[in-house]
Amino acid sequence: MVNIEVQNLSVEFTMRRSGGALFALQDLNFSVSTGKFVCVVGPSGCGKTTLLNVLAGLQASSGGSVLLNGQPVHGPGSDRAMVFQSGALLPWRTVLRNIAYGLEIQGIPAQEAARRSREMCNLVGLGGFEESYPRELSGGMQQRVNLARALATHPKLLLMDEPFASLDAQTRDYMQTEILRIWNQTRQTVIFVTHQIEEAVFLADEIIVMTARPGRVKMSIAIDLPRPRLPEVKKTPAFHDYVDQLRDLVQQEFMRTEELARVA
């Protein structure tokens, strides 16, 4: 089943100083099947975050369409949730009450919100920290709270914008394994933006490589590695073949970005 269908998507911005047009995305096309874990990679400035904002309904498109389960996306909705790079936790709320925040906004009754929040707290491995405050948590634990808050609303589509970028390498590796454990239980459709090629290969069913701005799909690569996917797969020749292929593709677009910058 096709869950997301992006057709000829374009996003144009007006440059503040010159007043000229700048296309972040142009004629972007791809589709994602229900329950798939898709990673998006590409050079800086290629429109990866803009794409997530359009899918979330936070950014209007200039052309084309985005369909979620056959329905056009025109704004935010409870069928989508986004996990950002920064924590964005409310410091005066406990872990449990931070998780419940989105449910409260949706008007979920307090008893049901508390039940769901506790369930998600346990799912992300924070049982025992329900009454802790953000300042008492490590960076990895704070991102678990962010993830639990997103999952508590039961979204059909989970959007993740470099959620592990601020973590140290060891914590990042651990969180990659944890997100797969959680996804294996929820099987929600995930679109995950990352700059780290190894992370994308480890996590994804499919990787979308974007071109230099304006962002288009350069190539889509299916990742044929066994699931459940354990850290040991990173040592295999097949894993490194994917990494090398993707690194070459992204490097080509990075060089194009540099050439465009020199011309400008």
Side-chain angles (χ1 to χ4, degrees):
M1 294 176 59
V2 173
N3 190 45
I4 305 162
E5 196 164 1
V6 176
Q7 301 172 332
N8 301 316
L9 179 66
S10 296
V11 176
E12 180 184 359
F13 296 106
T14 300
M15 291 186 287
R16 188 171 298 176
R17 290 186 179 181
S18 66
L22 176 70
F23 276 95
L25 304 171
Q26 193 169 42
D27 298 325
L28 182 69
N29 291 275
F30 68 90
S31 61
V32 178
S33 299
T34 301
K36 293 296 184 181
F37 199 124
V38 175
C39 286
V40 181
V41 300
S44 295
C46 71
K48 299 185 294 294
T49 296
T50 299
L51 171 61
L52 286 193
N53 286 336
V54 172
L55 293 172
L58 304 175
Q59 168 69 53
S61 64
S62 306
S65 63
V66 176
L67 302 178
L68 179 60
N69 293 323
Q71 299 300 313
V73 171
H74 294 306
S78 59
D79 52 357
R80 284 151 286 151
M82 195 156 175
V83 179
F84 298 93
Q85 179 177 336
S86 59
L89 298 179
L90 301 175
W92 59 89
R93 282 182 170 240
T94 63
V95 165
L96 212 57
R97 295 198 63 225
N98 263 291
I99 295 172
Y101 183 66
L103 298 171
E104 293 173 10
I105 291 176
Q106 290 183 8
I108 303 298
Q111 188 172 358
E112 173 64 10
R115 184 194 67 77
R116 279 203 222 172
S117 298
R118 195 168 295 277
E119 178 185 345
M120 291 302 108
C121 188
N122 289 328
L123 178 65
V124 301
L126 286 177
F129 291 91
E130 292 88 348
E131 300 306 318
S132 299
Y133 289 89
R135 65 179 179 275
E136 299 170 324
L137 306 177
S138 67
M141 293 170 77
Q142 290 184 29
Q143 278 300 67
R144 288 170 184 262
V145 180
N146 281 322
L147 179 58
R149 181 169 59 189
L151 292 172
T153 61
H154 294 168
K156 293 182 175 67
L157 174 61
L158 183 62
L159 304 164
M160 306 186 78
D161 191 7
E162 296 193 73
F164 307 147
S166 62
L167 305 179
D168 63 83
Q170 186 176 3
T171 304
R172 185 170 189 154
D173 285 346
Y174 182 71
M175 287 301 296
Q176 291 167 8
T177 304
E178 280 294 279
I179 192 67
L180 286 185
R181 176 186 65 80
I182 294 163
W183 174 76
N184 279 328
Q185 294 186 54
T186 64
R187 286 294 174 172
Q188 284 158 317
T189 307
V190 177
I191 296 184
F192 187 108
V193 163
T194 179
H195 275 100
Q196 193 179 80
I197 301 299
E198 290 86 353
E199 181 169 76
V201 174
F202 181 63
L203 295 176
D205 294 310
E206 181 181 352
I207 298 176
I208 294 172
V209 182
M210 292 183 64
T211 66
R213 189 174 61 232
R216 300 181 177 91
V217 175
K218 179 180 180 70
M219 188 176 291
S220 181
I221 298 175
I223 304 300
D224 186 17
L225 295 173
R227 292 196 187 274
R229 209 167 282 170
L230 302 176
E232 290 73 23
V233 76
K234 296 179 181 181
K235 301 175 183 178
T236 64
F239 182 90
H240 289 286
D241 286 346
Y242 282 122
V243 170
D244 290 344
Q245 180 186 8
L246 284 155
R247 185 168 284 126
D248 288 345
L249 291 169
V250 173
Q251 182 66 18
Q252 290 167 14
E253 294 308 309
F254 173 78
M255 296 306 295
R256 281 191 59 220
T257 301
E258 293 295 295
E259 290 171 9
L260 291 170
R262 283 194 294 270
V263 170

